Amino acid sequence: MIQILLYLWALVLSAYSVSLLLTSNFNMGNLMVWVITAASWVTAIWHRGLYAWVRDTLAGRAALLLCLAAVLVLAGVLTFISVKAYSNPPTGQEKIVVVLGAGLRKDRPSKLLRYRLDKAYEYAVAHPDTILVTAGGQGRDEWVPEGQAMRDYLIEKGLPPDRVFAETRSTSTEENFAFAKQVLEQSGFDPDGPIVYVTNAFHCYRAGEYARMAGFEEAHALPAGISLQSVPTCYLREAMAVLYYWVFRSSRSGFMQSMVGLLSLNKRFFYR
C-alpha cells in the first residue's frame, strides 16, 4: 500500500512538472518542483533500500534529520510569508500606489502581472485621488519595458493617462522602489508620505522590506491573487528568496547579482 501511494504521489508531481514545462518560464520555483518530483520517484522505486539505510546506518539517520529540519524550516518560512501578506493593509488615505512588475509576454503583461494590475485598477477606481507608478524594466525577451506595458494596460482599462506614471529601468524588486521614488520626485510628487504597493500575496513581505530600504517609511501592502497552478512554484521560490534576503539583505550583495539572467530560458512556448 505504501509503495502504491508513493507511486501515485510521484505520478501527480510528474503531471504537474510537465504542465510547468509547457506553460511557464524556467525559474527557481519550477526547479524546486522538478527536484521534489525526482526525489519522489527515487523514494517510490527504492523505498525499501532507503528505509534500511536510514534504520541501520548513522549516515542514514543524519540524512533523515537534515531532511526533516529542512522541511520544518521551509514550512515555517511559508507560514510566515502567508501571514505577513495580510498584516499591513492600506488605510485608504494613501495618495500613491506603486505597482511592481512581474514579466511580459512580448509586450503584454503575464498572467501573474495581470493579477497585480487588476488589483491596482480596482483600488485606483475606489480611490480616485491616487496616482500610480508602474515599475519594471525590459527583460531580454520582452518587447517593451514592463513599466510601460503596465501603464498601457491600466490606461486601456480606463484610468486617465495623467494618473499613471511608468518607471522603466528597474531589474529587481529593490530597484522597483528606488527608481519609482525617483519618478515621483521628478514628477513633482512627495514620496515621503504613506504609499500602497501592489504585488502578489506571496511577495508582499519582501517587497515591504525593500520599500522601506528605498525610503518609503510607511508602505502598505495590497496583495493580489495568483492562479492555483502557480501556488506551489511561487511560494517555494519566494521562500528561497526570503531566506536569501535574511542572509544578504540586498539583491546587490551575495552571489545572486552575478546570476541574474543566467538561469533564464525565456522561450515563447514556456510562457503562461
Side-chain angles (χ1 to χ4, degrees), residues 136-191:
Q138 185 171 350
R140 290 187 302 173
D141 282 0
E142 295 174 343
W143 290 7
V144 297
E146 291 177 16
Q148 184 60 53
M150 294 160 67
R151 180 177 186 268
D152 293 343
Y153 181 91
L154 290 172
I155 292 172
E156 287 174 7
K157 284 181 71 71
L159 291 186
D162 60 358
R163 287 185 63 191
V164 190
F165 299 82
E167 180 283 306
T168 59
R169 298 185 294 127
S170 56
T171 61
S172 66
T173 303
E174 192 172 352
E175 290 183 349
N176 284 164
F177 286 109
F179 295 161
K181 188 174 184 180
Q182 293 178 11
V183 169
L184 289 167
E185 292 170 341
Q186 293 165 1
S187 302
F189 296 98
D190 180 12

Side-chain angles (χ1 to χ4, degrees), residues 191-248:
D192 294 329
I195 69 163
V196 174
Y197 62 90
V198 185
T199 187
N200 306 98
F202 66 86
H203 189 225
C204 282
Y205 161 71
R206 193 163 52 92
E209 296 300 301
Y210 285 135
R212 282 180 280 278
M213 188 182 297
F216 294 108
E217 296 297 332
E218 188 177 344
H220 299 274
L222 184 61
I226 56 175
S227 65
L228 185 61
Q229 182 193 23
S230 298
V231 169
T233 57
C234 286
Y235 276 86
L236 286 172
R237 179 176 57 187
E238 186 63 19
M240 296 298 103
V242 167
L243 289 171
Y244 184 93
Y245 166 76
W246 285 343
V247 174
F248 296 107

Side-chain angles (χ1 to χ4, degrees), residues 105-121:
R105 306 299 177 248
K106 298 181 180 178
D107 60 347
R108 302 297 298 174
S110 64
K111 185 176 182 180
L112 193 68
L113 183 51
R114 290 198 301 273
Y115 278 102
R116 301 182 186 189
L117 291 167
D118 291 342
K119 178 64 72 170
Y121 175 79

